[in-house]
Amino acid sequence: MRKLILFATLALVAALLPPSLAAAAPAAVEAGPTAAQLLAKTNSCRQISNGKYKTDEDVSSRTVAVCDANGAVFWKADMDIDCDGQRTAECNENTDCCFQPDTAFPQSDGKPLNAAKLPYIVVPSPSSIWKYSSSGLKGGGSCAVIYNGKVEYAVIGDTGPSQIIGEASYATAKDLGINPDPSNGGTDSGVTYICFKNSTVSPIENHANAVSKGQNLATAFVNNN
């Protein structure tokens, strides 16, 4: 009798629940600001770079400024594909004409980063235009990369040419829906990079930590700008 009462009670509860709740478990809720919320805070630029950067070696115009904000710096550029670091099926001398088996900032075990696996961005090497360290950025620093309505949390993993900006790892591009092929991938525009001052993801190769820290810092960025 008690079993019959229990079954009847459960059936009644199920009948009273909305169909969506009765049929499926609650969907996961994404933490952190949306792409639109982050982009809304980058509409104006307090330029801190001494001049502007080129997006590629073969272009003559310099169009990208580094902008200052409370708790972060940001720039809007293209995305070239960085495949440097550990040799993988995706990143090696055969897939990338300019492959280098090292990254400026290594993993916690001393090995280069894995561009095919780890979302990271590339900052320009220091120059008279801008020194990333002067803005509180360093290897392993936390960044948000926005493209086409998506947000990817990444780390600062490598340095690039001193006059060019706009580059990220194979994994970053892939996660954002950008062609990650180092020979013909990337995108010519539409990418916003927001890097948070005085931040560190530890260990640098732990993407889950990068996401958690990035979401918290991105929320503070939206609230304080």
Side-chain angles (χ1 to χ4, degrees):
M1 177 63 72
R2 281 180 293 187
K3 287 183 179 179
L4 291 175
I5 294 173
L6 176 60
F7 291 152
T9 302
L10 291 174
L12 178 61
V13 170
L16 293 174
L17 285 173
S20 59
L21 291 180
V29 178
E30 182 178 351
T34 64
Q37 289 172 321
L38 288 166
L39 292 177
K41 302 300 182 177
T42 66
N43 286 331
S44 60
C45 176
R46 298 200 307 265
Q47 184 172 330
I48 56 171
S49 56
N50 181 28
K52 297 182 178 181
Y53 286 96
K54 298 192 296 182
T55 55
D56 291 291
E57 187 66 45
D58 58 355
V59 300
S60 57
S61 57
R62 296 176 177 270
T63 59
V64 181
V66 178
C67 310
D68 194 32
N70 290 331
V73 298
F74 64 88
W75 56 93
K76 300 181 179 184
D78 64 341
M79 183 182 287
D80 298 324
I81 306 302
D82 189 329
C83 233
D84 293 342
Q86 296 183 33
R87 288 181 178 86
T88 62
E90 301 84 359
C91 296
N92 56 66
E93 292 88 347
N94 296 322
T95 62
D96 182 3
C97 67
C98 308
F99 175 78
Q100 298 291 327
D102 201 5
T103 51
F105 308 109
Q107 294 183 164
S108 56
D109 61 4
K111 295 180 180 179
L113 300 181
N114 185 332
K117 180 180 179 182
L118 180 69
Y120 69 75
I121 75 156
V122 180
V123 292
S125 295
S127 71
S128 59
I129 301 176
W130 180 56
K131 296 179 180 179
Y132 62 86
S133 60
S134 67
S135 295
L137 305 188
K138 56 187 174 181
S142 175
C143 302
V145 188
I146 302 101
Y147 177 76
N148 198 25
K150 296 180 180 180
V151 182
E152 172 73 304
Y153 293 102
V155 293
I156 296 173
D158 205 358
T159 57
S162 62
Q163 307 294 307
I164 299 172
I165 202 167
E167 188 175 5
S169 69
Y170 182 108
T172 307
K174 183 179 179 181
D175 287 354
L176 287 171
I178 297 170
N179 179 4
D181 191 318
S183 63
N184 59 22
T187 184
D188 290 335
S189 63
V191 184
T192 299
Y193 302 80
I194 303 172
C195 289
F196 305 109
K197 299 175 181 178
N198 304 310
S199 63
T200 304
V201 174
S202 181
I204 188 174
E205 68 270 17
N206 190 316
H207 183 53
N209 287 354
V211 172
S212 177
K213 181 174 283 290
Q215 288 173 340
N216 290 335
L217 291 170
T219 297
F221 172 77
V222 169
N223 290 338
N224 296 329
N225 285 279

